[in-house]
Amino acid sequence: MERKYGESLISLLYPRRCPACHDIVSKRGEWICPECRDDFSFTRSPVCMKCGQELDAEEQELCYDCSRGHRDFEQSTALINYDSTAAASMAKFKYGGRREYADYYISELVKRKGALIAGWRPQLIIPVPVHKSRRRERGYNQAEELAVRLGKALHLPVRSDLLVREKKTIAQKELGPAARQHNLEQALRVKQPLTGLKRVLVVDDIYTTGSTLQACTRALQAAGAEKVYGCVICIGRGPS
Ligand SMILES: [Zn+2]
Ligand SMILES: [Zn+2]
């Protein structure tokens, strides 16, 4: 009872914002305005068997990038195509303090991709880490916000302290894919051996070139993890 009262007081003081229009959600108790529900473009099959991005043709198995680049992770899935609505939503989620958007993203992710993820039988969820100074600036790590909610929904443990980013990396977008991956790999550190851990799920907000997931996979495998899977909210569409 008391908790409920507390929650409604919070929602009165800080009304929930819509991840699509960024206004106060038009219907109380919802995570998105009913009229904004179709604003995001959810990924539809056929999708790349490796990274989960949409493909043009059914007979294609992999996207252009995955068919050429080396991927050590088993498979990754993505919820939303990265268009202007998604970009604006992600920007507010990452830099604008709107961590509550994670509630909506994860509820949709579980609804649309939950069976696929459960089929991988992950034993542990690990968020892509940010450097602690960046976390301090933003007040949170957006990937961790996602991971914690996903763990709760799927009843899986989440560890945010195992994989850390020790060095501040140069802004990734200024680098090419190979340099990006090398840059990140140098900065990642796994804090304890993962021997015996068979299946790990890495969670992030956006998949662009795949270099982040690849770098995390290599670090986790070097520490003893066997199979690494990925799951992101947004994915850009490359050439096919
Ligand atoms: Zn809205
Ligand atoms: Zn792909």
Side-chain angles (χ1 to χ4, degrees):
M1 231 14 218
E2 254 172 47
R3 184 145 174 259
K4 231 172 165 185
Y5 176 72
E7 274 169 17
S8 59
L9 191 64
I10 286 172
S11 72
L12 210 64
L13 292 173
Y14 305 100
R16 189 172 269 277
R17 295 273 171 169
C18 168
C21 72
H22 312 293
D23 232 321
I24 291 166
V25 174
S26 64
K27 194 170 168 213
R28 270 191 70 177
E30 298 285 332
W31 286 334
I32 187 167
C33 314
E35 60 275 23
C36 292
R37 262 186 209 139
D38 296 329
D39 287 7
F40 288 108
S41 155
F42 295 103
T43 56
R44 291 174 188 220
S45 44
V47 296
C48 171
M49 297 288 290
K50 206 67 180 171
C51 73
Q53 79 169 266
E54 278 188 6
L55 298 174
D56 291 324
E58 197 77 58
E59 55 284 1
Q60 224 180 319
E61 272 206 350
L62 299 172
C63 69
Y64 179 82
D65 285 345
C66 289
S67 66
R68 317 189 103 220
H70 189 70
R71 310 280 197 239
D72 287 302
F73 53 88
E74 297 294 311
Q75 200 179 3
S76 184
T77 188
L79 177 68
I80 296 170
N81 294 308
Y82 193 71
D83 57 11
S84 58
T85 306
S89 187
M90 283 287 123
K92 293 238 191 274
F93 172 54
K94 262 174 109 154
Y95 311 110
R98 299 276 166 81
R99 59 211 279 183
E100 78 242 44
Y101 288 3
D103 291 328
Y104 169 73
Y105 302 145
I106 293 302
S107 75
E108 285 296 329
L109 181 77
V110 169
K111 203 156 67 186
R112 293 165 191 269
K113 307 288 181 187
L116 173 70
I117 297 170
W120 296 336
R121 297 187 296 127
Q123 296 161 299
L124 182 65
I125 299 181
I126 294 183
V128 169
V130 295
H131 188 262
K132 56 177 188 279
S133 66
R134 209 152 268 170
R135 193 200 155 101
R136 216 176 300 128
E137 264 163 42
R138 298 180 194 166
Y140 56 93
N141 169 9
Q142 72 280 358
E144 191 181 342
E145 294 293 315
L146 296 166
V148 166
R149 287 163 176 84
L150 186 63
K152 220 179 243 174
L154 300 180
H155 308 288
L156 289 168
V158 179
R159 289 284 299 270
S160 313
D161 56 334
L162 279 181
L163 181 65
V164 296
R165 199 176 288 212
E166 298 219 304
K167 274 194 293 184
K168 223 170 162 178
T169 43
I170 313 162
Q172 293 278 91
K173 48 187 157 199
E174 282 154 37
L175 302 169
R180 236 178 216 242
Q181 193 186 311
H182 178 76
N183 184 36
L184 185 58
E185 257 181 71
Q186 294 301 304
L188 290 174
R189 165 93 67 102
V190 182
K191 299 287 253 191
Q192 71 187 59
L194 304 176
T195 327
L197 198 59
K198 294 209 162 66
R199 295 171 304 273
V200 186
L201 176 62
V202 173
V203 174
D204 204 3
D205 51 352
I206 306 176
Y207 182 108
T208 40
T209 61
S211 55
T212 303
L213 184 55
Q214 175 64 11
C216 291
T217 300
R218 287 176 62 111
L220 293 168
Q221 287 183 331
E226 269 179 43
K227 290 182 175 172
V228 178
Y229 296 86
C231 149
V232 298
I233 300 307
C234 290
I235 191 158
R237 201 168 169 171
S240 51

